Structure formats: structure tokens, C-alpha cells
Amino acid sequence: MKNRHIVSALLCSLFLMACGGNASQMAVSEKSLKEVVGDKFLMGVALNVRQSSGMDTSALKIVKQHFNAIVAENCMKSEEIQPKEGEFHFEDADRLVQFGLDNGLTVTGHCLIWHSQLPEWFCVDDKGKNVSPEVLKQRMKTHIQTVVGRYKGKIKGWDVVNEAIMEDGSYRKSKFYEILGEEFIPLAFQYAHEADPDAELYYNDYGMDVPGRRDGVVKLVRSLKEKGLRIDAVGMQGHMGMDYPDIRQFEKSMLAFAATGVKVMITEWDMSALPTAMRSANVSDTVAFKKALNPYPEALPDSVSQVWNERMQQFFQLFEKHADIVERVTAWGVTDGDSWKNDFPIRGRKDYPLLFDRNYQPKDFVRKMIEEASDSVTSAKK
Ligand code: G3I
């Protein structure tokens, strides 16, 4: 090879290495949470209407970069979708689903049958009396099949029934239960499956570390399977605090649900960094506002933030440890400022429960995971 060719070849390779180095460095520095998670499980996030309608562009940038699954925080609930019998409002839900399709995100439907955020007309007649079982069955079927049918082939799976089992394993005495007894749950799963046979179907609840609820949900899943009904996963909402749940009990529940032959999903993950006022995600529970329960109105002290990050990392490692049974981990909001925990169970307090802060920056445990994964990629390239 002529000398000048050797020199140009050397210069060229040096240039490529420089670009390659910079490029791989750029690629590494742009590693994202979903890349860190890889194919272990889907990394999801709940979107509010400001986000799904494209108004919160900073949040959407985070969603596109760090997540590969989304769920509607509120816009698919029955009070939003069918506030009056026969009057369906799909605009917000359509925009969320389209955002998911446009960005290659897996979309989950939340939620078809729930005792809360239920329009007043759903279970009573025009005199306010409970409707007959036949009328309620028809109303459930119409609601479920109209909603699921609309998104057939677009929504991967549905939270078919939400929060129907109490801490002692008994059925919540909702209107659905009052009128139809235990049958309302298999009926809901049947109606959803008829509307989209390919859709995955989930049972979703909070406080799933509690042994009584764990046993009640196991019994429920088994009964659905014995009836030959489709149920693909149990959704463990994962609303946590600094002193609950016990991670060992949470893990025990994950394994108990998986032992029934379904997958596990962490569907609404957040961890309040504030003193626990009460263990509940039942939105109708409230506690009188107390200053003591809103101790960090300006910012979270580093000492508390460190404990919070360590605890979140422990749970994330638990999910990764059981990646064989965990299909999805969804954060219940994009940034701390979006969280329902800022007003629950105490209105007007400031909480710090999510994976990204109010400046749209990843929390320390998220940043650490990304950096560690990026370093391993960089070192692998050397
Ligand atoms: O959209 C209206 C707005 O027009 C009105 O001005 C405002 C007045 O307060 O209310 C707005 O609706 C609120 C809605 O969130 C949207 O922000 C409702 O009042 C409020 O009750 C609703 O809270 C949601 C709650 O479910 C009840 O639906 C929370 O955002 C949402 O995070 C929470 O999520 C639930 C899951 O669906 C099920 N698991 C428990 C979890 C936490 O409760």
C-alpha cells in the first residue's frame, strides 16, 4: 500500500475511532431507563390528560426517552368515559391511545369495573334504587364491550376489575357485589374477553402484600381459571410509603400470584416520602390536614431522599430478581408534581413519590442505574 494511502487510512481510522468513541459515548450518555431494564419487563408510566393531550411537552420527552408502556391515570374510568348512560366521551382516551401507537408504546386500559369513580347512574334506577341483576349485567356488558371493542387490537391489556377484595380476603361490599354477588367479577372478565379475545385481562388491587388480601386474590384467580375465563396477570398497584409494605411480604405475594399461573404487574408504583397518615389507596379515605404530615413543603431533606432512594432501589431489584414473572412495572405518574399523593390522603401537601422530580430530572436511584448500565456498556466496548 502506498505511504500516502497508509497515512490517509490511519487518519481515517483515527477519525472513525473519535466519532465512534464520541458516538458510543453519546449513545451511552443517552442510555435510558427502558434500556437499562431491557427485556426484563415493560417500563410503564401513567399519563394525565395534560400529558396525553400533548400539553406537558417536558413530561412527554421523559415518557418517550425512558418508558415503553403507558396507562391512563384517569381518562378511561367509567365516570369519565360514560358519565351518563349511553353518553360516551372518548376524546381523551383516543388521544392517549394514539400517542401510544404513534410512539410504539404498549398501552394498558385502566379500568373497566371499579366501585370508585363510578357514575351515579350505573347501579341505580332513576329513583336511586338498586337496579335488578339483569339490568346491571346489561349495563356492565354495554360499558365494557363498547370501551374494549373501540380499542380492539390497540390496547394490549385491561384492568378489568379494580380493588374488589378487602384486607381480610372478603369481597368489597360495592354496589356490584350488593346486586350481583361474587358473579360480577367473572362476568366482567367474560364481557371483556368477548369484546377483544386477544386482549390480556388483569385483576388489579392495592395493599397486595397484606396476607388476607393475598389469599383472597389467589382464590379469585383460581376461581376465574376454574370457570375457564381468561386472566393473564394480577396487578399489584404498588402504592408504597417509607414504612410499608414489608418487602418480604410483597415478594411473598408476587410468588403466590405467579403460582396460580398468571404473571405479575406492578401497575401504579409510587412511594410517599412523607409520614404515613394511613395505609390506603381508596380515594374516599381522607385525613384532616396536619402540618406534621406535610413536613417538607419546600424540598425533601437529603437524609430522607437517601432513605427513599435506597428503599425504591430495593424494590426495583426485587422486580428484576423476579423478571421471569414480572411483565410490567408502571410508575403512577411522570414527575413528583403530577402525583395524586400530593393531595391524598391529605389535600395540599407536597410529596416526592415518583421516579422523576419536579425539574423533570431522574431520582438518584434511577440515575445510578442508568450510569451503571452505561458504564458497563462503555467498558464492554473497550
Ligand atoms: O378533572 C377534574 C377537574 O376538571 C376538576 O376541576 C377537579 C376538581 O377537583 O377534579 C378533576 O378530576 C380529578 C381527577 O383525579 C383528575 O385530576 C378528580 O377529582 C380526582 O378524584 C381524580 O383522582 C384520581 C383518583 O384515582 C380517583 O380517580 C387520581 O388522579 C388518580 O391518581 C387515582 O388513581 C387511582 C387508580 O385509578 C386506582 N388505584 C388507586 C389510585 C390512587 O387513588
Side-chain angles (χ1 to χ4, degrees):
M1 206 193 218
K2 294 263 185 263
N3 281 345
R4 62 189 169 83
H5 287 177
I6 291 171
V7 171
S8 60
L10 273 174
L11 284 174
C12 188
S13 54
L14 280 173
F15 174 72
L16 283 175
M17 274 168 66
C19 292
N22 291 339
S24 64
Q25 196 55 36
M26 277 164 60
V28 158
S29 65
E30 282 174 3
K31 262 235 171 292
S32 69
L33 180 55
K34 64 187 174 186
E35 288 172 311
V36 169
V37 171
D39 58 2
K40 293 192 191 86
F41 42 74
L42 287 170
M43 196 66 229
V45 65
L47 300 187
N48 60 37
V49 169
R50 282 189 67 251
Q51 291 151 357
S52 55
S53 59
M55 288 160 64
D56 186 349
T57 51
S58 303
L60 293 179
K61 188 167 178 295
I62 289 178
V63 173
K64 292 176 188 174
Q65 181 178 354
H66 291 284
F67 296 94
N68 48 26
I70 56 173
V71 62
E73 183 177 16
N74 290 303
C75 70
M76 289 192 184
K77 292 170 179 174
S78 53
E79 72 171 358
E80 303 286 342
I81 285 244
Q82 196 185 178
K84 290 194 179 73
E85 187 167 15
E87 187 185 298
F88 288 90
H89 297 268
F90 286 114
E91 302 77 19
D92 290 333
D94 286 353
R95 273 192 286 267
L96 181 130
V97 171
Q98 196 54 50
F99 174 77
L101 297 176
D102 292 347
N103 291 280
L105 303 169
T106 296
V107 185
T108 297
H110 173 82
C111 48
L112 296 171
I113 296 296
W114 187 25
H115 68 281
S116 183
Q117 304 340 103
L118 184 69
E120 282 173 19
W121 64 268
F122 209 101
C123 295
V124 296
D125 61 21
D126 49 13
K127 296 184 184 61
K129 279 184 62 205
N130 284 357
V131 293
S132 70
E134 282 57 46
V135 168
L136 182 54
K137 284 181 196 174
Q138 189 50 58
R139 288 179 175 180
M140 284 174 59
K141 185 170 186 175
T142 301
H143 181 75
I144 290 170
Q145 299 199 335
T146 304
V147 178
V148 175
R150 185 182 184 88
Y151 300 113
K152 183 172 179 178
K154 296 178 178 177
I155 286 188
K156 178 177 183 181
W158 287 92
D159 290 342
V160 177
V161 173
N162 192 40
E163 303 174 12
I165 303 293
M166 302 302 282
E167 290 203 350
D168 63 0
S170 65
Y171 281 77
R172 182 184 298 274
K173 301 304 179 276
S174 65
K175 283 281 185 192
F176 294 108
Y177 183 81
E178 261 178 55
I179 298 167
L180 289 170
E182 299 176 11
E183 279 314 291
F184 84 93
I185 298 180
L187 284 169
F189 277 81
Q190 174 196 325
Y191 298 153
H193 183 61
E194 287 168 353
D196 184 353
D198 296 329
E200 292 186 352
L201 305 179
Y202 320 130
Y203 173 76
N204 191 50
D205 214 326
Y206 65 83
M208 295 280 251
D209 57 298
V210 175
R213 180 173 281 120
R214 175 197 303 146
D215 295 344
V217 172
V218 164
K219 197 170 156 214
L220 169 63
V221 172
R222 287 198 178 128
S223 73
L224 292 172
K225 282 177 165 289
E226 280 156 16
K227 290 177 168 63
L229 291 165
R230 178 171 184 162
I231 175 165
D232 299 86
V234 165
M236 303 174 72
Q237 291 182 8
H239 294 295
M240 303 180 178
M242 296 290 267
D243 55 359
Y244 74 91
D246 176 290
I247 195 165
R248 295 169 303 245
Q249 290 298 324
F250 197 90
E251 180 174 27
K252 201 170 169 186
S253 294
M254 291 170 69
L255 296 173
F257 299 141
T260 66
V262 297
K263 293 293 187 184
V264 167
M265 298 176 162
I266 312 304
T267 53
E268 306 180 14
W269 195 29
D270 52 28
M271 183 180 292
S272 176
L274 307 185
T276 300
M278 61 187 353
R279 265 220 67 177
S280 164
N282 183 351
V283 289
S284 60
D285 296 341
T286 56
V287 173
F289 177 85
K290 292 195 183 78
K291 279 238 175 297
L293 292 171
N294 185 29
Y296 316 122
E298 301 309 321
L300 195 62
D302 289 346
S303 58
V304 179
S305 173
Q306 187 183 337
V307 174
W308 183 91
N309 275 282
E310 284 165 5
R311 192 163 151 73
M312 286 291 278
Q313 187 169 30
Q314 285 165 7
F315 275 95
F316 203 94
Q317 286 165 349
L318 175 69
F319 306 154
E320 290 183 305
K321 173 184 171 188
H322 293 295
D324 58 319
I325 61 173
V326 175
E327 285 278 287
R328 170 169 58 93
V329 173
T330 288
W332 201 241
V334 182
T335 73
D336 288 341
D338 300 319
S339 175
W340 69 294
K341 296 298 282 183
N342 292 312
D343 286 318
F344 182 87
I346 303 158
R347 296 194 73 80
R349 70 175 188 169
K350 191 171 183 181
D351 207 340
Y352 309 81
L354 290 167
L355 279 56
F356 290 79
D357 66 22
R358 286 173 171 81
N359 297 318
Y360 299 93
Q361 295 307 306
K363 296 291 181 70
D364 288 350
F365 88 98
V366 176
R367 185 195 310 281
K368 194 173 143 201
M369 283 197 302
I370 292 175
E371 284 167 358
E372 281 167 4
S374 305
D375 293 349
S376 62
V377 167
T378 315
S379 53
K381 283 185 184 297
K382 282 177 185 144

